Amino acid sequence: MTTVLGISGSLRAASTNTLLMREALRVSGADTLIEADLRLPLYDGDLEADGLPVAVQTLANQITIADAVVIATPEYNKALSGVLKNALDWVSRTDGKPWADKLVAIMSAAAGRAGGERSQFSLRLCMVPFGARVLTGPEVLVAASHSAFDEDGRLIDERYAKALDGLVGQLGL
Ligand SMILES: Cc1cc2nc3c(=O)[nH]c(=O)nc-3n(C[C@H](O)[C@H](O)[C@H](O)COP(=O)(O)O)c2cc1C
């Protein structure tokens, strides 16, 4: 039995990164698909001193039990979203090194022509402290993301779908 966790760095209901993350989960072939909830409080050392928020520990546990994680990040001003960075910071405060040796596939969907390339690069840098095994390619950079998915949430452009298959396939699920 294999488990994959999907993390989308965008909270909005119509998020194209959530669509991309769901496609990654779907094609992963894993037996159990979990979607993370990044509606966490903003990191605050005083809050932490009172005890880790339950939602933070839940996320850390989901990362720990997953055989692999896929992360779809939006591009906000040429970097990853604050929502995603906040989640990474919170998880770094939990015990047990949830990311250690974890296979991770990162991807992005963005309005711009570069498909969030800079956000992925910034996310890759943010992952460095955690000791995860972040795949290097093929890169999944979905440009003009508002028109990249059909009504069923499938990627319209076969080149994107092929890249996603190639990337997620390396998770070996
Ligand atoms: C604060 C903010 C900054 C943004 N900056 C960029 C950017 O640097 N590059 C880009 O391609 N799109 C940028 N966008 C547009 C996003 O790519 C677009 O809103 C995208 O749909 C967000 O992902 P989502 O569909 O998963 O919510 C920005 C949007 C917001 C709200």
Side-chain angles (χ1 to χ4, degrees):
M1 294 292 280
T2 51
T3 299
V4 62
L5 172 68
I7 296 177
S8 168
S10 173
L11 298 178
R12 70 190 188 97
S15 162
T16 55
N17 281 281
T18 300
L19 290 176
L20 181 59
M21 176 269 284
R22 286 187 179 144
E23 273 299 88
L25 296 189
R26 186 180 69 80
V27 303
S28 73
D31 302 298
T32 304
L33 315 179
I34 304 174
E35 292 187 16
D37 182 359
L38 298 198
R39 289 185 188 280
L40 310 175
L42 285 175
Y43 176 77
D44 175 343
D46 294 337
L47 203 55
E48 182 186 4
D50 292 338
L52 279 175
V54 171
V56 170
Q57 192 58 57
T58 297
L59 177 59
N61 294 345
Q62 289 171 331
I63 294 167
T64 300
I65 64 152
D67 295 291
V69 180
V70 301
I71 308 177
T73 179
E75 182 165 271
Y76 287 171
N77 300 306
K78 308 191 191 305
L80 77 171
S81 64
V83 163
L84 182 52
K85 182 65 166 68
N86 184 55
L88 295 177
D89 289 338
W90 265 122
V91 169
S92 76
R93 305 299 289 170
T94 64
D95 291 330
K97 301 189 186 310
W99 290 110
D101 292 326
K102 194 71 59 182
L103 264 179
V104 179
I106 64 174
M107 56 201 67
S108 54
R113 278 183 301 173
E117 184 171 17
R118 296 153 297 200
S119 67
Q120 272 196 47
F121 189 62
S122 68
L123 172 58
R124 194 173 289 282
L125 291 180
C126 290
M127 294 296 294
V128 166
F130 308 142
R133 290 180 287 156
V134 184
L135 297 174
T136 54
E139 291 181 309
V140 178
L141 304 152
V142 179
S145 65
H146 293 87
S147 54
F149 296 87
D150 68 18
E151 286 179 356
D152 297 320
R154 303 283 192 268
L155 284 160
I156 294 168
D157 190 323
E158 284 182 11
R159 289 169 299 181
Y160 290 149
K162 191 174 169 201
L164 187 66
D165 271 341
L167 181 68
V168 173
Q170 291 180 60
L171 298 175
L173 297 168

